Amino acid sequence: MSSLLSAVRPRLSGPSWLSPRVLRTEVLAGLVVALALIPEAISFSILAGVDPRVGLFASFTMAVTIAFCGGRPAMISAATGAIALVVAPLAKEHGLGHLVAAVILGGLIQVLLAVLGVARLMRFIPRSVMLGFVNALAILIFMAQVPHLIGVPWLVYPMVAVALLIMVFLPRLTTAVPAPLVAIIALTVFAVVAHVAVPKVGDEGTLPDSLPVLGLPDVPYTLATLRLIAPYALGIALVGLMESLMTAKLVDDMTDTRSNKTRESWGQGVANVVTGFFGGMGGCAMIGQTMINVKTSGARTRLSTFLAGVFLLVLVVALGDVVALIPMAALVAVMIIVSVSTFDWHSIAPATLKRMPWGETIVMFTTVTATLISHNLAIGVVLGVLTAMVIFARRVAHFAEITSVLDPDGTTRIYSVHGELFFASSNDLVYQFDYADDPDNVVIDLTAAHIWDVSSVAALDAITTKYATRGKAVDIVGLNRASARIHDNLAGKLKVGH
């Protein structure tokens, strides 16, 4: 609990965004992110089977709350596709009230997981899984834009091309204004002045015209309701935390800074609780918008996250008529740039693949493939980690080696074991000894080995038993303190085969 309290304790130093240059960057980044959030939030609302206002309000409350409570500055949290997929069946079968209740419960579970230290599990995610996560995400971001490029007026394609050119070449001339914002404004002005008939943000759904209202979920407060929403709440909590912590780690690597993962876990929970009480659909970190904020726009502080939420609400409520005029071509182009810049092209370069161990490549492609098939980043990461564990166990299993020598008087055979002894490596240990021809005294030297689990103790018991049936004595020596502890506690107390 003390670690959690220290994690959420505010820093006493002054905010870095007081600098005019940083302030300008943060404000413009927040505006660009807010514009990109609008069609995404509307799309995720449709995916979840709820009114667009539910997704838009969720994006506002998530961004504003996480700006104060989160552990990774400049990371954007809002309504996401992953959470939409989790809650869609609940919304379809039982309505918005149960969805909102599940979001609140999911947030409480996230707070509990933060207290239990779930963020520390991030160190068990290998780099190859991170690469797969990033590459799969880039592909999913690009795939999400494809529907906006099919069956549309021909003018959409040159508009997307122009926006892409602006975002590629403008930063080479100046970085005073984010290139995505220039592209959005330029295409919007052109579409309005030329009266071109192209898909616009307003075509994606009705924008809200009022502020979100605080309230309780409209559900029966019974045990039956709790049993109904609990599985969905657990899904919201796990998927949301996994995506948020993975995104936080990605931003850490990108900015060469370290974030507080425990605080981020706690903050995600608080943000979802707040979002639920305002009738939102819940959410988590958004990698695409985070990349726009951090990598494309250069934001680094919490101010950009806070302003993204504020600008979003202002844009859809006060300036909804103006925002509705933004061509979807502009936002599609922004997301294509995000997709291309997010993808780790070095990871699939022929030279890299040639140097990389085959196991690392398999883990990366497993993560990517599983994510693309399921359209769920959490599933891809879990399968990637499991694949990495299997490959690691297989690799380490072959590191256990046994050598033997006969002492000068020929009365004792000394076996030296080198490597890690666990379930994968100890299975073959029993077959490395010459039970029939060894002398009456056998020494097994484990000075260069380590016992990790009960399987290794059982294997040593089996070896001792096989020698004992032939009237031969076995002396196990060289155990380090940890190995001796597990061996002394379990040796002779396990059922072994003869």
Side-chain angles (χ1 to χ4, degrees), residues 157-168:
Y157 304 111
M159 291 178 70
V160 170
V162 169
L164 291 174
L165 291 174
I166 291 174
M167 286 182 284
V168 169

Side-chain angles (χ1 to χ4, degrees), residues 410-494:
T411 60
T412 303
R413 169 72 69 176
I414 303 173
Y415 287 91
S416 297
V417 182
H418 301 260
E420 308 301 319
L421 299 181
F422 66 111
F423 63 90
S425 60
S426 61
N427 284 336
D428 295 332
L429 194 65
V430 179
Y431 306 106
Q432 306 299 315
F433 296 82
D434 190 354
Y435 303 103
D437 298 330
D438 277 343
D440 290 342
N441 297 307
V442 175
V443 174
I444 301 177
D445 186 0
L446 298 179
T447 302
H450 185 93
I451 297 175
W452 287 102
D453 60 10
V454 66
S455 298
S456 303
V457 178
L460 292 172
D461 279 359
I463 293 168
T464 303
T465 301
K466 287 180 179 292
Y467 277 116
T469 59
R470 293 171 171 80
K472 301 177 181 181
V474 177
D475 188 17
I476 299 176
V477 300
L479 291 166
N480 59 37
R481 183 178 300 176
S483 297
R485 186 183 304 115
I486 187 172
H487 184 265
D488 294 344
N489 286 339
L490 298 175
K493 301 173 185 177
L494 302 171

Side-chain angles (χ1 to χ4, degrees), residues 100-125:
V100 170
V103 169
I104 295 173
L105 180 58
L108 294 174
I109 294 174
Q110 287 178 324
V111 173
L112 176 62
L113 291 175
V115 174
L116 296 176
V118 69
R120 290 192 292 269
L121 296 177
M122 280 299 296
R123 66 177 181 266
F124 295 109
I125 297 180

Side-chain angles (χ1 to χ4, degrees), residues 11-35:
R11 291 185 294 181
L12 298 178
S13 58
S16 60
W17 47 264
L18 288 178
S19 161
R21 182 182 61 83
V22 175
L23 180 61
R24 182 191 63 198
T25 299
E26 301 298 310
V27 171
L28 293 177
L31 179 58
V32 173
V33 170
L35 291 170

